[in-house]
Amino acid sequence: MSSTITVANTTIASRIPGLQDLWDITLGCEDVLIAILDGECDRTHPNLLAANITPPDVLRTNRPNHGAAVQHGTHVASIILGQHQGDIQGIAPQCRGLSIPIFTDGQDGSLTPCSQVDLARAMLTAANQGAQVINISGGQLTPSGEADLLLTNAVRHCADQNILIVSAVGNDGCDCLHIPGAMPSVLAVGAMNGEGNPLGFSNWGKKYRTQGILALGQDIIGAVPGGETAPQTGTSYATAIVSGVAALLLSLQVKQGQRPDPKAVKAAILQSAIACDDQPIEECDRLLAGRLNIQGALSIIRSPGTSMHETTDLQTIHPIPDEAKASPSPMPRQPAAIQAASYSPAPAEAAVLETDSPRSPQSLTQISPSAIQPAACSCEGGGGTPAQLVYALGTLGYDFATEARRDSIQQHMGEGANPNDPQQLLRHFNTDPWDAADILWTLSLDATPIYVVMPQGAYAERGFARLLQFLREQLEEGVERVSIPGIISGQAMLMSGQVVPVILPTLRCMYSWTTSALVEAVCGSEPDEAAAQGVTNFLERVYYELRNLGITPQDRAINYAATNAFNIERIFESAMNEDIELESIDVEKSPLCRPGADCWDVKLTFFHPQRVFEQARKCYRFTVDVSDICPVSVGRVRSWFVR
């Protein structure tokens, strides 16, 4: 390795004011877990070999190669967790890391971005594994700031769990928004040089003025797969620095005998930021909320009794571009459906891919605006986890995985047959049922596949028969939803190139239904109209407003409540008699639970529409135990009045 790189590595603390003072107090602690949502990292690199980085089994991919995604993920991971015995001094080397790959390498070695659904799934996985900080060195450009509801709910879940999401603002050099950087609960990060001036490609915007911070993003030394090191520039690497600093401040809280409080750390970073009034520049908007001030944040965290929390409300999330632009460009339209994208050129309205190497606007590569991009693209440079339970709702479909598999099944079906026609395929399975195991059965939300369902074991044949039954019921009987309980094990690639997790299902609680049939089963063949409408309203809100991936305990509890709606019927029957209407649906950890169980209370709050300010609201609560693959209701429905 060159002496120049070695000098740069050993003086990183001198390039970031206040970092050495923080290192003198703490280099991190194992109680703090940083989830790195990026490309896979090369954990065999000398600077990462001794780092405590765990890849979750449920998302583990093949052995890392040296493609663009692994280069980006390795560089980012080394900035955060690089060990000080080597050439790279990571910001928080003694903290734990959780590597969750969201970017992958295409067949040509280029980086393939992820969808918003994939990002939401990765966030929830990080939350379930106990992460306090989630680093996302990437994002997606958006004209409106609106994200897919699944991603919005995932960010909200992290905020509710006091998890700090740190995300790049992107590198388009414009006043523009990105997902997830522009979400108020997210700490957005832009890039500056060593003099504290914003780099020309670093984005800015009104929303970033309240939750954005500038950090060093120029010539940041990081690990390159294979054992080398190299400098990189961009908001990706500034984001990694801020995530590492946040982890150190959390470690300081632990050292002081306090409970780690990511919201307080975020507030300290923003409050202490060096703004334009303190160090003026001509375009103050480009400073976001200000420059990273480690000494100021350290002083706040060390102050006795300090408990600072953000006060902004959660809003929708925004995407990230890639390059430096001389002036803002027109914002692309957000597509109705979120799909995986690639680096290939896209239509003019497509979002611009972010990169951390500033280039002229004419050289920008365009991609579909449906994908989360790394905030850099010129990246030169395990332990086991508990089984992930899932209880997901959606619609059933199928995929052939490869054109060869599709053509093979078409030949089995006979000349002129169309395997893409589900009716024809079902008729073929009636005579050749074994072919049902040769396709990928998918579970979708809003026409977007979120899982592959793959029965295995002694009862796999019955599992495939159940899936055939579900598909037939969807086509012939109008079935609207199916429930798929199981565990996540591995991944599968669809013909589109999209990679989704695989569910190994259990037959015990796989159900299919229509809303009308479920209401009839709950309320009887001649239900009271008000009670039936109440149950229908509840189900529709779960299906659309609260739709989720079925990963977190809260999501599994609410999905089970929609599947087993008998408790809901009792609630709405009582509400009808009191002439009150549903206001909100919440899920909270239950204070009462059997030993070894994982219980959550589904809480429905009602109000009287004619006496909103005169009468107390009424809450109904019932408990769901989600410790098993198949959730179960516990106890009876309880109710009380609240003000």
Side-chain angles (χ1 to χ4, degrees):
M1 301 181 188
S2 70
S3 59
T4 302
I5 288 179
T6 302
V7 170
N9 283 333
T10 55
T11 60
I12 184 65
S14 66
R15 300 185 63 202
I16 305 177
L19 179 57
Q20 187 61 58
D21 293 336
L22 189 51
W23 278 353
D24 290 341
I25 302 171
T26 178
L27 292 174
C29 70
E30 291 188 351
D31 290 337
V32 176
L33 177 63
I34 310 160
I36 303 172
L37 278 52
D38 211 286
E40 227 172 327
C41 69
D42 179 8
R43 291 181 294 130
T44 65
H45 191 283
N47 280 101
L48 294 173
L49 196 59
N52 190 348
I53 303 176
T54 302
D57 289 336
V58 296
L59 294 177
R60 184 172 295 175
T61 61
N62 295 330
R63 182 179 178 82
N65 53 30
H66 290 184
V70 176
Q71 291 178 27
H72 192 270
T74 301
H75 200 109
V76 168
S78 67
I79 293 171
I80 299 174
L81 295 166
Q83 300 299 288
H84 286 197
Q85 296 85 348
D87 291 330
I88 302 169
Q89 292 182 311
I91 304 297
Q94 293 182 11
C95 290
R96 290 184 297 127
L98 179 66
S99 175
I100 303 182
I102 58 173
F103 304 132
T104 57
D105 291 319
Q107 293 183 350
D108 60 353
S110 63
L111 187 148
T112 300
C114 78
S115 69
Q116 292 188 26
V117 174
D118 290 334
L119 180 59
R121 183 184 292 112
M123 286 181 178
L124 296 175
T125 299
N128 283 354
Q129 297 297 324
Q132 292 106 335
V133 178
I134 297 178
N135 183 90
I136 306 171
S137 290
Q140 176 188 342
L141 185 67
T142 179
S144 64
E146 295 293 330
D148 185 277
L149 183 58
L150 289 174
L151 184 53
T152 302
N153 288 340
V155 173
R156 180 179 293 111
H157 174 80
C158 290
D160 291 342
Q161 299 300 309
N162 196 6
I163 299 169
L164 175 59
I165 299 173
V166 186
S167 182
V169 300
N171 313 298
D172 306 282
C174 64
D175 181 347
C176 46
L177 301 176
H178 290 259
I179 291 172
M183 179 73 68
S185 66
V186 174
L187 180 58
V189 182
M192 66 181 182
N193 60 21
E195 288 70 47
N197 296 317
L199 294 176
F201 57 83
S202 184
N203 295 337
W204 69 95
K206 183 178 179 180
K207 291 190 176 181
Y208 299 138
R209 294 295 300 273
T210 57
Q211 88 268 4
I213 194 82
L214 285 186
L216 184 66
Q218 187 176 52
D219 295 329
I220 308 300
I221 298 294
V224 175
E228 299 299 318
T229 62
Q232 291 290 348
T233 295
T235 57
S236 278
Y237 314 113
T239 300
I241 287 173
V242 172
S243 291
V245 170
L248 290 181
L249 294 174
L250 290 169
S251 301
L252 175 58
Q253 289 179 323
V254 173
K255 186 173 182 178
Q256 294 176 165
Q258 302 169 347
R259 185 173 181 176
D261 188 348
K263 288 183 179 179
V265 166
K266 177 190 173 185
I269 290 173
L270 290 173
Q271 180 176 320
S272 62
I274 301 172
C276 203
D277 292 341
D278 305 309
Q279 189 177 335
I281 63 171
E282 289 185 4
E283 300 177 86
C284 288
D285 286 352
R286 303 196 64 165
L287 284 181
L288 312 185
R291 308 166 181 90
L292 179 64
N293 178 5
I294 295 179
Q295 290 177 326
L298 174 60
S299 177
I300 292 174
I301 294 300
R302 297 185 77 177
S303 298
T306 299
S307 179
M308 303 174 57
H309 293 276
E310 58 184 352
T311 57
T312 52
D313 295 327
L314 188 70
Q315 297 179 3
T316 49
I317 317 171
H318 314 281
I320 299 185
D322 277 53
E323 329 277 330
K325 298 181 182 178
S327 60
S329 61
M331 293 294 104
R333 296 193 303 268
Q334 186 81 356
I338 302 300
Q339 301 175 349
S342 68
Y343 275 105
S344 58
E349 67 267 17
V352 182
L353 170 69
E354 320 178 359
T355 178
D356 276 340
S357 294
R359 298 179 290 182
S360 64
Q362 290 79 10
S363 68
L364 297 184
T365 303
Q366 291 182 316
I367 63 162
S368 164
S370 63
I372 302 299
Q373 306 298 323
C377 70
S378 58
C379 310
E380 300 174 6
T385 56
Q388 174 63 66
L389 300 181
V390 61
Y391 190 91
L393 307 182
T395 57
L396 197 66
Y398 60 89
D399 191 279
F400 297 103
T402 65
E403 292 183 0
R405 181 68 54 82
R406 181 196 60 195
D407 294 344
S408 174
I409 291 178
Q410 183 178 23
Q411 291 178 8
H412 290 176
M413 293 173 67
E415 186 176 354
N418 180 12
N420 293 313
D421 182 347
Q423 294 283 10
Q424 293 186 42
L425 192 65
L426 281 174
R427 287 195 293 270
H428 170 67
F429 288 153
N430 286 336
T431 57
D432 297 330
W434 47 84
D435 275 351
D438 288 334
I439 65 173
L440 297 180
W441 293 89
T442 61
L443 186 72
S444 296
L445 281 177
D446 300 329
T448 301
I450 57 173
Y451 294 110
V452 162
V453 185
M454 192 175 294
Q456 290 188 357
Y459 296 98
E461 181 179 351
R462 294 188 182 183
F464 286 113
R466 183 71 59 86
L467 295 175
L468 286 169
Q469 173 191 339
F470 286 174
L471 183 59
R472 185 175 295 107
E473 290 172 345
Q474 285 182 181
L475 296 172
E476 299 175 0
E477 301 177 20
V479 160
E480 300 165 358
R481 292 288 185 282
V482 300
S483 61
I484 305 293
I487 62 171
I488 296 178
S489 178
Q491 298 174 315
M493 180 178 290
L494 308 180
M495 283 188 67
S496 65
Q498 180 183 358
V499 177
V500 296
V502 171
I503 295 180
L504 306 183
T506 182
L507 288 171
R508 272 189 293 135
C509 38
M510 288 175 61
Y511 303 114
S512 65
W513 67 90
T514 64
T515 299
S516 58
L518 185 57
V519 170
E520 182 176 332
V522 170
C523 303
S525 57
E526 296 182 1
D528 179 275
E529 183 176 350
Q533 183 57 44
V535 175
T536 301
N537 180 36
F538 169 80
L539 295 174
E540 293 295 327
R541 291 183 69 171
V542 172
Y543 297 157
Y544 299 104
E545 179 184 338
L546 302 177
R547 66 182 184 271
N548 59 72
L549 296 169
I551 294 176
T552 68
Q554 298 93 316
D555 291 344
R556 287 185 280 128
I558 196 67
N559 287 351
Y560 176 75
T563 306
N564 184 29
F566 291 96
N567 282 326
I568 304 301
E569 188 274 335
R570 299 189 191 102
I571 291 173
F572 280 100
E573 183 178 11
S574 174
M576 174 199 64
N577 293 332
E578 298 184 42
D579 197 23
I580 54 179
E581 297 182 6
L582 180 63
E583 177 181 76
S584 63
I585 305 171
D586 300 293
V587 183
E588 300 174 352
K589 185 70 174 177
S590 178
L592 301 175
C593 194
R594 298 173 294 194
D598 185 12
C599 297
W600 294 82
D601 287 343
V602 178
K603 185 176 72 172
L604 278 63
T605 303
F606 291 80
F607 70 99
H608 196 294
Q610 266 70 50
R611 298 195 294 273
V612 175
F613 301 106
E614 303 172 13
Q615 183 171 317
R617 286 165 168 75
K618 189 168 186 179
C619 290
Y620 293 84
R621 183 189 297 253
F622 61 93
T623 302
V624 178
D625 182 355
V626 297
S627 55
D628 191 18
I629 294 178
C630 288
V632 62
S633 295
V634 178
R636 60 181 180 83
V637 175
R638 304 176 300 281
S639 64
W640 62 90
F641 288 98
V642 295
R643 286 288 182 183

